Amino acid sequence: MIYLARATIRDIAVKAGVSITTVSLVLNGKELRIASATKKKIIRIANELNYRPNQLAVGLITKKTNTIGLIVPDISNTFFGELAKGAEKEASSCAYNIILCNTNDNPDKDVEYLNILLDRGVDAVIMVPSANSADSMAKKCLTLMEQCQKPLVLVDRIKMGEKHTSISVDHEQGGYIATKYLIENGHTRIGCITGPLGMLNSRLRFLGYKKALKDSDIRFQAKYVEEGNYHVEDGERLAEGLFENKVTAIFAFNDLMAYGVYKAAAKLGCRMPEDISVVGFDDLFYSSIMEVPLTTIHQPSYEIGEAAVRRIAELVKDENTKKEAIIFKPKLIVRNSVQNINR
Amino acid sequence: MIYLARATIRDIAVKAGVSITTVSLVLNGKELRIASATKKKIIRIANELNYRPNQLAVGLITKKTNTIGLIVPDISNTFFGELAKGAEKEASSCAYNIILCNTNDNPDKDVEYLNILLDRGVDAVIMVPSANSADSMAKKCLTLMEQCQKPLVLVDRIKMGEKHTSISVDHEQGGYIATKYLIENGHTRIGCITGPLGMLNSRLRFLGYKKALKDSDIRFQAKYVEEGNYHVEDGERLAEGLFENKVTAIFAFNDLMAYGVYKAAAKLGCRMPEDISVVGFDDLFYSSIMEVPLTTIHQPSYEIGEAAVRRIAELVKDENTKKEAIIFKPKLIVRNSVQNINR
DNA sequence: CTGAAAGCGCTTACAG
DNA sequence: CTGAAAGCGCTTACAG
């Protein structure tokens, strides 16, 4: 009972006494005129032989592999894990598969993987560009994909517009509502731990922070701002300086750094939120189960992944699909890490 | 400057005035006898044209795609995220790519994805079977892979041995050392929140728990045992019953449920670890940054992913590679969630 | 030292 | 209603 080789279309043709053309036609439901007896016979035999088309052969000839490349900086980061999960789910439901590429935020890998994916005939790629990727790198990727006439969907850390679809939360608005919420709770000395300001998402959140201050006539002060690198350790290290500058609240540009603020507070005996309020960004799973659940800006990472694949499916079907950006609204998730200090 | 089509081996042959055979030979470094002038010319032209072989064509003919399927229950779970990251890194370093499949613990998906992966000509697959997958399901998968003569590496939730490689931490020993540690710290009324006992990893950890009790002449008591489903909510819900039974410590079979125990303790005003000690299993990233960092059993998920791909690379090169299991030693990570109650 | 030919497993005009 | 033929982009005996 051991079949070393899978049945091919030829095996079916031989067994059914017809040509492989006919088999192909029937199995793909292309020729409706074929005698229903022949049709039934072919289908029966295909089932008997457990026939499944070799997708390499199909892809080679149709120039379509039903395959999408997904390039992320770090799949073990919950944010990208959720994104991948959403993308995979949507892909699976349209008979696509995902080829996973993890760059560790190495910009060279962005291009390297893109080429490899193209070698494998992917129909499109979803890419979260590496943190330190120069704009020239993103351009290179876009050019590569354009030459092949294949969609590139840029996600989260978006560099430029126009010729491709980009998907992201509205980072600026996220920064704005996070800061606004702190202001509404009576805070005026609001520290800010940004992400790398070389990254657009970080610059946009920073813009939102400054805009919210301005709208409330609170003077922006550079001494309340520290540039982090999106890691827990940065949050911890940078929070200490902010504490010394007497901030009553800190807006950390991601949840990870917010956790770092928690650690710094614990180390220095600051109570949360009585002595120091914190708002994060991302809404990672952990944020809801902490002892002091973190108030944060929710990013719909799962939905972003879904949306990326959905847009690709549209793009592949109809090249004229508009390639404009998809912007998700950020949402403030109020939990317990902010103290109202209005009297 | 827009090339709609990628250069093919034929384009090179035409431009160099040689046959495609020669081009293929040179580019694959197969025929060393070829005139070095011809060789150089071909290589130069290939570079000029940015030639990259179409992997669909290569795969179709060589029956090897340098592609590995990875089937996991939930890629957004840090444990599997780390595993995927390790697998991807190792894959990338041997020029393999990973096709990601997410089953949401639906056993039917295990088989469905396996077939799809086979259609795509993967060289092997790494699978973490779904939680409720019956043994018959695992057998089906093994049979499928055997027929194609392709390695299947079963990871973490292992069903059966022999014909395939399985990779996992030693769950029983993990359960043993976790329990032993609590005993050494003076605990005798040790609650236990297991995973689904239908899953082998859970049964093994349970065995370790009972063995540790026995070795210390502590009577096993069923009332100290609750069966969970590896989710935070189970930990929280089941901990309450255990508290009522006056346990002084709880061994949760994964970190997620341990977090649930934390939540239950907070709700009931129990201090950690003064009133209740907890040990987890997995050593998720978050466990180290909690206010009361969790003492837990470390599972080397990244290394497991790496090992899976490394074994596959060996297996693909040499069919005679031994197919026995790879068992990682679990490691106790002592942090702050256990109180020593010896006087 | 190099090339013509067969073939991997399919799809798709085209012809009958 | 059905099939012969060409072809997708490669590799690999085989022949010279």
Side-chain angles (χ1 to χ4, degrees):
Chain A
M1 257 294 275
I2 293 187
Y3 301 100
L4 294 186
R6 293 159 58 100
T8 70
I9 204 174
R10 172 155 285 112
D11 297 328
I12 299 176
V14 169
K15 238 186 162 174
V18 297
S19 72
I20 61 165
T21 303
T22 304
V23 175
S24 173
L25 258 22
V26 168
L27 262 22
N28 290 310
K30 290 252 166 124
E31 284 289 353
L32 305 166
R33 309 163 277 169
I34 285 173
S36 87
T38 320
K39 213 184 282 186
K40 273 187 193 147
K41 191 174 179 191
I42 289 174
I43 290 173
R44 179 175 51 75
I45 294 177
N47 285 333
E48 278 172 19
L49 296 180
N50 271 314
Y51 173 73
R52 300 180 59 102
N54 178 325
Q55 292 304 140
L56 292 178
V58 173
L60 188 59
I61 205 159
T62 61
K63 310 288 183 203
K64 182 157 182 303
T65 56
N66 283 335
T67 267
I68 296 173
L70 175 65
I71 303 179
V72 294
D74 179 7
I75 188 66
S76 74
N77 177 321
T78 314
F79 181 78
F80 300 120
E82 281 286 344
L83 193 153
K85 189 176 173 183
E88 204 279 344
K89 184 232 117 203
E90 188 65 23
S92 171
S93 79
C94 357
Y96 272 85
N97 282 110
I98 298 280
I99 300 183
L100 176 68
C101 303
N102 198 71
T103 62
N104 290 314
D105 269 324
N106 176 350
D108 295 333
K109 284 260 181 185
D110 289 7
V111 186
E112 191 187 322
Y113 272 126
L114 204 64
N115 275 311
I116 291 173
L117 290 169
L118 257 12
D119 298 344
R120 296 205 180 282
V122 293
D123 296 334
V125 0
I126 300 170
M127 177 160 107
V128 179
S130 286
N132 309 309
S133 151
D135 273 10
S136 61
M137 200 57 101
K139 214 166 225 158
K140 205 165 172 180
C141 293
L142 284 171
T143 309
L144 261 171
M145 292 299 283
E146 261 171 54
Q147 286 176 0
C148 303
Q149 311 237 67
K150 291 183 175 174
L152 173 61
V153 173
L154 251 30
V155 172
D156 188 45
R157 307 160 169 188
I158 293 170
K159 299 289 179 179
M160 50 191 54
E162 295 144 45
K163 292 277 205 110
H164 63 284
T165 298
S166 59
I167 306 188
S168 156
V169 86
D170 185 332
H171 296 292
E172 182 175 342
Q173 204 197 342
Y176 186 86
I177 60 182
T179 310
K180 192 80 185 167
Y181 179 71
L182 287 168
I183 295 171
E184 285 165 5
N185 278 274
H187 298 274
T188 55
R189 299 197 304 279
I190 301 173
C192 177
I193 302 180
T194 73
L197 291 172
M199 288 173 70
L200 186 62
N201 58 8
S202 191
R203 284 203 300 277
L204 291 172
R205 291 173 199 181
F206 192 38
L207 234 50
Y209 165 80
K210 288 192 282 192
K211 188 146 173 269
L213 292 182
K214 197 171 178 193
D215 283 1
S216 296
D217 294 319
I218 299 173
R219 191 161 66 89
F220 167 78
Q221 301 206 55
K223 68 172 176 180
Y224 290 163
V225 179
E226 298 282 0
E227 180 176 352
N229 201 19
Y230 282 146
H231 299 125
V232 176
E233 297 71 30
D234 303 311
E236 187 172 359
R237 181 172 50 82
L238 299 171
E240 298 187 18
L242 258 17
F243 289 170
E244 279 170 23
N245 283 330
K246 306 286 181 215
V247 300
T248 60
I250 291 178
F251 169 31
F253 277 20
N254 74 352
D255 283 6
L256 251 25
M257 294 195 298
Y259 303 158
V261 176
Y262 275 58
K263 290 190 87 171
K267 203 164 80 186
L268 300 174
C270 286
R271 290 164 307 159
M272 305 256 322
E274 293 82 356
D275 300 328
I276 184 83
S277 293
V278 180
V279 174
F281 204 113
D282 279 353
D283 192 24
L284 300 186
F285 163 73
Y286 291 130
S287 298
S288 66
I289 62 170
M290 307 174 72
E291 277 103 310
V292 179
L294 178 68
T295 293
T296 189
I297 302 294
H298 178 75
Q299 287 209 73
S301 44
Y302 186 89
E303 287 79 7
I304 289 175
E306 277 184 319
V309 172
R310 205 173 303 127
R311 171 57 58 94
I312 283 172
E314 290 165 12
L315 247 21
V316 168
K317 264 206 200 87
D318 173 13
E319 294 179 25
N320 299 319
T321 307
K322 45 200 158 70
K323 302 199 175 164
E324 95 269 296
I326 300 176
I327 308 285
F328 281 85
K329 287 245 164 299
K331 216 168 86 188
L332 178 73
I333 308 291
V334 173
R335 289 197 274 251
N336 308 338
S337 63
V338 173
Q339 177 87 349
N340 189 325
I341 59 173
N342 287 314
R343 38 231 65 205
Chain B
M1 256 295 274
I2 294 187
Y3 303 101
L4 294 185
R6 293 158 57 100
T8 71
I9 205 173
R10 173 156 283 113
D11 298 327
I12 300 176
V14 168
K15 238 189 163 173
V18 296
S19 72
I20 61 165
T21 303
T22 304
V23 175
S24 173
L25 258 21
V26 169
L27 262 21
N28 291 310
K30 291 253 165 125
E31 282 289 353
L32 304 166
R33 308 163 277 171
I34 284 172
S36 86
T38 319
K39 213 184 280 185
K40 274 186 192 148
K41 192 175 179 189
I42 289 174
I43 290 173
R44 179 175 52 74
I45 294 177
N47 285 333
E48 279 172 18
L49 298 180
N50 272 315
Y51 173 73
R52 301 180 58 102
N54 178 324
Q55 292 304 140
L56 292 178
V58 174
L60 187 58
I61 205 159
T62 61
K63 309 287 182 204
K64 182 156 181 301
T65 56
N66 284 335
T67 267
I68 295 173
L70 174 65
I71 303 178
V72 294
D74 179 7
I75 189 65
S76 74
N77 176 322
T78 314
F79 181 78
F80 300 120
E82 281 286 343
L83 193 152
K85 189 175 171 183
E88 203 280 342
K89 184 231 116 202
E90 189 65 24
S92 170
S93 79
C94 359
Y96 273 85
N97 282 109
I98 298 281
I99 300 182
L100 176 68
C101 304
N102 198 71
T103 62
N104 290 314
D105 270 324
N106 175 350
D108 295 333
K109 285 259 180 186
D110 289 6
V111 186
E112 191 187 322
Y113 272 126
L114 205 64
N115 275 312
I116 290 174
L117 290 169
L118 256 12
D119 297 344
R120 296 204 179 282
V122 293
D123 296 335
V125 357
I126 300 170
M127 177 161 108
V128 179
S130 287
N132 308 309
S133 151
D135 273 9
S136 61
M137 202 54 104
K139 215 166 225 158
K140 206 165 172 180
C141 293
L142 285 170
T143 309
L144 260 171
M145 293 298 283
E146 261 171 54
Q147 286 175 0
C148 303
Q149 311 236 68
K150 291 184 173 171
L152 173 62
V153 172
L154 252 29
V155 172
D156 188 46
R157 307 159 170 189
I158 294 170
K159 299 290 177 180
M160 50 190 56
E162 295 145 46
K163 293 277 205 115
H164 63 285
T165 299
S166 58
I167 306 188
S168 155
V169 86
D170 185 333
H171 296 292
E172 182 176 342
Q173 204 198 340
Y176 186 86
I177 61 182
T179 311
K180 191 80 186 166
Y181 179 71
L182 287 169
I183 295 171
E184 284 164 6
N185 278 275
H187 298 274
T188 55
R189 298 198 304 280
I190 301 173
C192 177
I193 303 180
T194 72
L197 291 172
M199 289 172 70
L200 185 62
N201 59 8
S202 191
R203 284 202 301 276
L204 290 172
R205 291 173 198 180
F206 192 38
L207 233 50
Y209 164 79
K210 289 193 281 193
K211 188 146 172 271
L213 292 181
K214 196 171 179 195
D215 283 0
S216 295
D217 294 320
I218 298 173
R219 190 162 65 90
F220 168 80
Q221 301 206 55
K223 67 172 175 178
Y224 290 163
V225 179
E226 298 282 1
E227 180 175 354
N229 202 19
Y230 282 147
H231 298 126
V232 176
E233 297 72 31
D234 303 311
E236 187 171 359
R237 181 172 50 84
L238 299 172
E240 297 187 19
L242 256 19
F243 289 169
E244 279 169 24
N245 283 330
K246 306 287 181 212
V247 300
T248 60
I250 291 177
F251 169 29
F253 277 20
N254 74 353
D255 282 6
L256 251 25
M257 294 194 299
Y259 303 157
V261 176
Y262 275 57
K263 291 189 87 169
K267 201 164 81 184
L268 301 174
C270 285
R271 289 165 308 159
M272 304 258 320
E274 293 81 356
D275 300 328
I276 183 83
S277 293
V278 179
V279 175
F281 205 114
D282 279 352
D283 192 25
L284 300 186
F285 161 74
Y286 186 63
S287 298
S288 66
I289 63 169
M290 308 173 72
E291 276 104 311
V292 179
L294 178 68
T295 294
T296 188
I297 301 294
H298 178 75
Q299 286 209 74
S301 44
Y302 186 89
E303 288 78 8
I304 288 176
E306 278 185 317
V309 172
R310 206 173 304 127
R311 170 58 57 93
I312 283 171
E314 291 165 12
L315 247 22
V316 168
K317 265 208 198 86
D318 174 13
E319 293 178 26
N320 300 318
T321 306
K322 44 200 161 68
K323 303 199 175 165
E324 95 268 298
I326 299 176
I327 309 285
F328 281 85
K329 287 244 164 301
K331 215 168 86 188
L332 177 74
I333 308 291
V334 174
R335 290 197 273 251
N336 307 338
S337 62
V338 172
Q339 177 87 349
N340 188 324
I341 60 173
N342 287 313
R343 40 230 65 201

